Amino acid sequence: MSIADIKKNAEQKMLKSIEAFKSELAKVRTGRAHPGILDQVQIDYYGSMVPISQVANLTLIDARTIGVQPWEKGMGAKIEKAIRESDLGLNPAAQGDLIRVPMPALTEERRRELTKLVKGEGEDAKVAVRNLRRDANDHAKRLLKDKEITEDDDRRSQDDIQKLTDKTIADIDKLVQVKEAEIMAV
């Protein structure tokens, strides 16, 4: 493995960390309806647990309401029960075949809790990025120990990996700021 491989590998893993962080942020409710909020809801479909998106069509009815249209007639009650029992704090209401899921307005206290949650998720993402930096630097040190690279190459690779880490952490901070503004603005 060369230094270029180490850098490329670290960069790819850091990008994956950012993508994972973005998907975690998408689960945080901001008061506006977003079908992705229901992604974690699992439905008992003939004995196996599947995501809601595999048994129903999710649409936005308006800015604060999600519409859930089951693909099978008998699934409506199961979907409604699963949404109600999820820890999302949602109260679905059936209207014929359509299940309406209104988003309750956020209280000021709940907004503060959500911003703390977002900051915590951001810190977790930063820790993951720092661990990737450490692993990449350890690989470079091993190459130096095995005399496959020079000390100058090791120093340069550490500087490059640090720059990449700083950029990734700055990206995470930006995502946290945007999400906090979104939560507090609603």
Side-chain angles (χ1 to χ4, degrees):
M1 184 179 265
S2 69
I3 291 177
D5 293 338
I6 292 171
K7 289 180 202 171
K8 186 175 181 182
N9 191 16
E11 185 174 8
Q12 288 173 342
K13 287 183 178 181
M14 287 182 188
L15 287 174
K16 285 182 184 173
S17 292
I18 287 181
E19 290 304 314
F21 178 57
K22 283 180 182 176
S23 72
E24 285 300 314
L25 285 183
K27 294 177 187 173
V28 177
R29 208 164 51 80
T30 60
R32 282 196 297 266
H34 182 273
I37 293 168
L38 297 176
D39 283 348
Q40 64 198 33
V41 177
Q42 298 283 313
I43 310 296
D44 180 16
Y45 187 68
Y46 297 110
S48 61
M49 299 304 282
V50 297
I52 194 169
S53 60
Q54 292 185 9
V55 295
N57 191 20
L58 304 175
T59 58
L60 287 180
I61 296 174
D62 59 45
R64 299 184 66 80
T65 310
I66 299 172
V68 181
Q69 182 74 46
W71 293 332
E72 293 181 25
K73 293 276 186 204
M75 293 303 294
K78 288 183 180 181
I79 292 171
E80 190 176 353
K81 182 180 178 204
I83 294 171
R84 190 169 281 119
E85 291 176 353
S86 70
D87 62 348
L88 298 173
L90 301 174
N91 192 19
Q95 283 186 330
D97 290 342
L98 180 70
I99 300 169
R100 296 173 60 90
V101 185
M103 293 285 129
L106 295 174
T107 63
E108 190 64 29
E109 180 181 337
R110 182 68 180 140
R111 289 174 201 265
R112 287 196 182 98
E113 287 175 19
L114 288 175
T115 56
K116 284 181 187 175
L117 178 78
V118 167
K119 286 179 182 176
E121 292 289 340
E123 286 304 314
D124 291 346
K126 289 179 191 177
V127 167
V129 168
R130 290 182 190 120
N131 287 339
L132 292 170
R133 174 191 60 194
R134 184 197 62 221
D135 293 344
N137 286 337
D138 288 348
H139 281 295
K141 291 256 188 271
R142 251 185 256 125
L143 289 177
L144 177 63
K145 185 178 175 187
D146 295 341
K147 300 203 184 321
E148 293 180 31
I149 62 171
T150 65
E151 287 184 21
D152 289 342
D153 291 338
D154 179 47
R155 170 55 59 213
R156 239 179 271 117
S157 74
Q158 285 186 23
D159 290 344
D160 291 345
I161 291 168
Q162 184 60 46
K163 286 177 188 170
L164 179 63
T165 303
D166 292 344
K167 178 189 170 300
T168 306
I169 287 178
D171 291 346
I172 290 170
D173 286 338
K174 272 188 229 158
L175 289 169
V176 168
Q177 286 176 343
V178 167
K179 191 65 172 186
E180 284 179 352
E182 193 177 307
I183 290 170
M184 296 311 271
V186 174

